[in-house]
């Protein structure tokens, strides 16, 4: 009788709980479910430029612009233009629709501008299913498009260069833009 009780308690301790780590019937998707996992804050560079930036081999963004190297990771911009200096502003958000067989699919397009008020400026636009996703994606796109703005004088040469050196005009699509020195 005691032998039977000992076997019974040992069998209970080895049997996994219902829905536990047993292998058997079912769809058997192991591991964590859901999209992604816990996000790690540590940046792991994917490009050579990113590795050089993380190892502090580059001193400024001008080194990158001097050799016309493409910036593929927004963390490179974050490394050079620290969190306090980089300002971002959402310029416009509007819905865009696509007609499907089931009706309309609405997404949101966001335009964002980033800059450090010290000669670096970037503009980005992206579309997302939700407003927050569109803003986040356009912010990343704006950081990837950061370019140096050449500044100069207008009138007399007092102080540091502070404005665009001459009247500049540009065109994209049907929009024409003109910058006039301050």
């Amino acid at each position: 009788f005691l032998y039977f009780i000992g076997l019974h308690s040992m069998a209970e301790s080895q049997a996994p709980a219902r829905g536990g780590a047993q292998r058997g019937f079912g769809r058997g998707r192991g591991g964590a479910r859901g999209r992604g996992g816990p996000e790690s804050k540590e940046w792991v560079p994917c490009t050579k430029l990113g590795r050089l930036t993380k190892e502090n081999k580059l001193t400024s963004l001008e080194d990158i612009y001097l050799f016309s190297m493409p910036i593929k990771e927004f963390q490179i911009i974050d490394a050079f233009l620290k969190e306090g200096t980089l300002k971002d502003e959402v310029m416009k958000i509007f819905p865009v629709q696509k007609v499907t067989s089931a009706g309309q699919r609405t997404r949101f397009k966001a335009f964002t501008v980033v800059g450090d008020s010290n000669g670096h400026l970037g503009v980005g636009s992206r579309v997302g299913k939700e407003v927050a996703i569109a803003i986040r994606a356009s912010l990343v796109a704006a950081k990837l498009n950061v370019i140096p703005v050449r500044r100069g004088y207008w009138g007399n040469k007092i102080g540091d260069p502070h404005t665009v050196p001459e009247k500049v005009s540009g065109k994209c699509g049907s929009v024409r833009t003109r910058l006039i020195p301050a």
Side-chain angles (χ1 to χ4, degrees), residues 1-13:
F1 180 67
L2 292 174
Y3 180 71
F4 176 73
I5 293 173
L7 285 177
H8 182 64
S9 63
M10 190 168 63
E12 281 180 357
S13 66

Side-chain angles (χ1 to χ4, degrees), residues 31-90:
R33 291 182 183 88
R35 296 202 174 247
E39 283 190 29
S40 62
K41 296 290 181 182
E42 185 66 28
W43 169 44
V44 179
C46 299
T47 60
K48 186 172 183 179
L49 182 63
R51 285 191 291 276
L52 290 173
T53 303
K54 190 166 182 182
E55 294 168 0
N56 294 325
K57 304 265 176 149
L58 299 172
T59 57
S60 68
L61 273 175
E62 279 64 33
D63 295 340
I64 298 171
Y65 297 135
L66 183 66
F67 297 105
S68 301
M69 300 169 90
I71 299 173
K72 303 282 188 186
E73 300 173 89
F74 72 93
Q75 292 94 342
I76 295 171
I77 300 296
D78 289 338
F80 288 115
L81 306 177
K82 297 299 181 206
E83 197 66 36
T85 61
L86 196 63
K87 300 181 196 91
D88 57 84
E89 185 171 337
V90 178

Side-chain angles (χ1 to χ4, degrees), residues 125-136:
S125 70
R126 282 292 182 271
V127 178
K129 289 182 180 178
E130 298 173 15
V131 174
I133 295 171
I135 291 173
R136 202 174 310 122

Side-chain angles (χ1 to χ4, degrees), residues 22-31 33:
Q22 64 194 20
R23 298 285 178 211
F25 307 109
R27 294 186 29 193
R29 293 180 304 212
R33 291 182 183 88

Side-chain angles (χ1 to χ4, degrees), residues 142-162:
K143 286 180 181 178
L144 291 176
N145 289 330
V146 168
I147 58 167
V149 177
R150 185 173 153 251
R151 293 179 293 173
Y153 300 99
W154 185 255
N156 55 6
K157 295 184 179 182
I158 298 175
D160 292 331
H162 60 280

